[in-house]
Amino acid sequence: MITSRRMAAVDVNAEALGVPRKQLMESSGNAVARVARELVEPGASIAIVAGRGNNGGDALVTARFLKSYDVTVHLLGRPETISTTIARENWDALVAVESNLQTVTDSSKFDLGAPDLVIDAMLGTGVTGALREPEATAARAINDSDALVLSVDVPSGVDADTGDAEGLAVEADHVVTFHDTKPGLEALACDVTVADIGIPQAAELFTGPGDLLELHRHAQSHKGDHGDLLIIGGGPYTGAPALAAQAALRAGADLARVACPEHVAREVQGYSENLIVREFSGDHLAPEHVSDLLDYAADRDVVVFGPGLGDHEDSLAAVRQFLTEFDGTAVVDADALQVVPDIDTEATLICTPHQGELQKMGGTTASDWRERTDLVREFAADLGHTLLVKGASDVISDGNEIRVNRTGNPGMTVGGTGDVLAGATGALACVLPPLDAAAVAAYANGRAGDLAADEFGNGLVATDVLKRLPVGLVGEE
């Protein structure tokens, strides 16, 4: 089962792997035609009601595979407003062979006729909300007809993730959905066919550019809407928390705060005027600081625990106490990781160990990433938290799903790149579920490292990665 937003990401990832969307549309249209042929005999009349996006494009392909039928295509809108190149190409192909094409520019004049089968391809899985015109009029006509109704991917007007409809929706007898079933289809009283259209399993397993589609920034956003982050660290080291905080800003967080010992606060602040630094007494984190930090963290979206913290006995005791009492979302990195297996917490944790740290936590690893995926998933399930295990191939799991990231290069073994990753993960966890946040952060961090390596080879430093961390990861909606 796959959500509509995840499906959109997988489509883009498939294209990045060399399976173009045009090929997927051809396979989708063919799959719909196969089901149509099972529903009605050759010579039957079929009305295709097509929208102007890729869902409609799938059905335009379908029309070419139904040569033995009396097919009429009703395009909802003018051909020049078809929204994608590949859908427009399939419309042009039907024009070239003089298919029976009707354009609906005035919904009051929509005439479905009396077909034996209607193929509903008005709106796909990515469209939610109440039907507008001309789709609303077309849906009423479809529902009022005596024809069998076959919907492409999801009945128009139905939310593919919930099965709900905000008012009018097409009442389908059959649905052909692609690659995997959608959560909302289970609630519908209709037959569902899941068609394999050639999307490789790797498009779901490996992170790719499609994963960035999960991110949106509304045009009317305000400061804080996309993340108010707290990094707790520093003491033995000053660069690590500063790197994490700056990476959080680069990855889209609106505010990045650092809580660190007073004796390094000035140095941490000196790295960037963009950071908000809050000091606590002493030269390292200790249990007496926890109460104030919990109060401070309560107003933040995510806490990143560990960069530059060190492994002083008092500091580890403080981490243990903080996480035991904390019930928010936290990214745990570096020395703070070792306390995670021993705590009972209501917090949502994303742990970012390298393989040596994973073993210190009690996990096991393997040299081959394929073997490592099962080991990471099992350990994440045992912990009850999300793991992002760093390596030549990063393995991410929440104990159920697995993602593997292949961006990055050997130059990123330099110190500090893990702090950049932790900060980016924290920023993305402000706006995404834990598994998605970790996967997107791994992809973006590795991609930034690859851009840096193109310029510097393997002689990288962490700030090279930080400066190339994709700015504007959060796209405008």
Side-chain angles (χ1 to χ4, degrees):
M1 190 172 293
I2 190 168
T3 66
S4 58
R5 294 189 74 166
R6 183 62 186 153
M7 189 67 232
V10 169
D11 278 342
V12 174
N13 287 347
E15 187 163 35
L17 290 168
V19 184
R21 292 191 189 188
K22 186 172 183 178
Q23 180 177 325
L24 296 178
M25 183 174 286
E26 195 75 9
S27 297
S28 299
N30 194 1
V32 174
R34 286 198 301 270
V35 174
R37 288 192 290 268
E38 294 173 1
L39 295 176
V40 290
E41 297 294 328
S45 60
I46 298 177
I48 294 176
V49 185
R52 290 166 292 146
N54 281 341
N55 187 257
D58 294 336
L60 299 179
V61 172
T62 298
R64 289 192 283 105
F65 284 99
L66 294 174
K67 294 186 290 291
S68 300
Y69 295 83
D70 177 15
V71 178
T72 302
V73 176
H74 303 266
L75 179 70
L76 301 186
R78 294 179 175 84
E80 58 269 24
T81 63
I82 293 175
S83 62
T84 71
T85 300
I86 53 176
R88 178 60 184 270
E89 289 172 350
N90 281 297
W91 172 263
D92 290 343
L94 294 178
V95 171
V97 298
E98 299 185 359
S99 298
N100 186 2
L101 306 176
Q102 306 291 327
T103 57
V104 182
T105 57
D106 182 347
S107 59
S108 66
K109 297 179 180 179
F110 177 73
D111 183 8
L112 183 65
D116 300 302
L117 175 69
V118 176
I119 296 177
D120 156 40
M122 294 188 289
L123 300 172
T125 57
V127 182
T128 59
L131 291 179
R132 301 178 181 179
E133 294 296 350
E135 289 82 11
T137 292
R140 289 189 193 94
I142 292 171
N143 292 344
D144 290 342
S145 75
D146 295 325
L148 284 171
V149 178
L150 171 61
S151 287
V152 177
D153 221 5
V154 64
S156 296
V158 172
D159 187 313
D161 294 330
T162 66
D164 297 331
E166 294 185 22
L168 180 67
V170 169
E171 298 167 2
D173 300 297
H174 302 264
V175 174
V176 179
T177 196
F178 309 121
H179 181 63
D180 199 353
T181 191
K182 313 307 183 292
L185 297 182
E186 289 189 337
L188 304 182
C190 62
D191 295 328
V192 177
T193 298
V194 178
D196 183 349
I197 58 172
I199 293 176
Q201 192 268 341
E204 281 195 72
L205 176 63
F206 295 123
T207 60
D211 292 83
L212 302 183
L213 297 178
E214 293 282 351
L215 300 169
H216 299 279
R217 186 183 291 257
H218 195 277
Q220 302 301 318
S221 297
H222 299 283
K223 182 171 68 176
D225 287 351
H226 304 99
D228 184 342
L229 194 76
L230 171 63
I231 290 92
I232 301 176
Y237 309 98
T238 60
L243 283 168
Q246 292 175 88
L249 293 172
R250 290 282 183 177
D254 291 336
L255 295 163
R257 306 168 191 267
V258 178
C260 61
E262 59 187 358
H263 84 113
V264 297
R266 184 178 295 273
E267 286 82 354
V268 172
Q269 183 70 78
Y271 285 106
S272 175
E273 67 275 20
N274 297 302
L275 309 182
I276 302 168
V277 178
R278 178 173 177 140
E279 62 186 50
F280 50 81
S281 61
D283 61 2
H284 62 271
L285 179 67
E288 58 263 29
H289 304 129
V290 170
S291 179
D292 286 344
L293 288 174
L294 283 169
D295 289 342
Y296 193 43
D299 293 326
R300 315 282 82 83
D301 295 303
V302 172
V303 173
V304 178
F305 226 124
L309 188 69
D311 61 356
H312 192 287
E313 182 179 350
D314 286 348
S315 297
L316 297 182
V319 173
R320 187 175 293 107
Q321 181 182 342
F322 182 99
L323 293 180
T324 298
E325 299 181 30
F326 188 57
D327 62 0
T329 299
V331 175
V332 185
D333 187 44
D335 289 306
L337 287 163
Q338 59 192 288
V339 310
V340 170
D342 302 324
I343 60 172
D344 182 11
T345 179
E346 296 297 320
T348 299
L349 303 185
I350 304 172
C351 300
T352 58
H354 55 62
Q355 292 178 62
E357 291 167 332
L358 177 74
Q359 290 173 300
K360 288 182 180 179
M361 294 173 70
T364 54
T365 188
S367 57
D368 185 271
W369 67 264
R370 295 170 184 82
E371 297 177 38
R372 205 158 64 246
T373 55
D374 287 337
L375 296 173
V376 171
R377 177 164 56 187
E378 290 168 6
F379 191 49
D382 289 342
L383 287 176
H385 302 299
T386 297
L387 288 173
L388 192 178
V389 182
K390 296 173 283 192
S393 293
D394 306 310
V395 178
I396 306 103
S397 181
D398 58 2
N400 182 25
E401 294 184 58
I402 291 175
R403 309 271 175 85
V404 176
N405 176 62
R406 300 186 292 183
T407 61
N409 58 81
M412 295 179 69
T413 58
V414 68
T417 57
D419 301 306
V420 173
L421 175 60
T425 304
L428 296 170
C430 294
V431 293
L432 294 177
L435 180 74
D436 293 332
V440 174
Y443 175 81
N445 192 59
R447 179 66 183 134
D450 290 340
L451 292 172
D454 287 343
E455 185 172 353
F456 299 112
N458 287 334
L460 303 182
V461 294
T463 50
D464 295 329
V465 179
L466 171 65
K467 291 174 182 177
R468 287 158 183 82
L469 189 67
V471 180
L473 271 176
V474 184
E476 188 171 289
E477 194 172 56

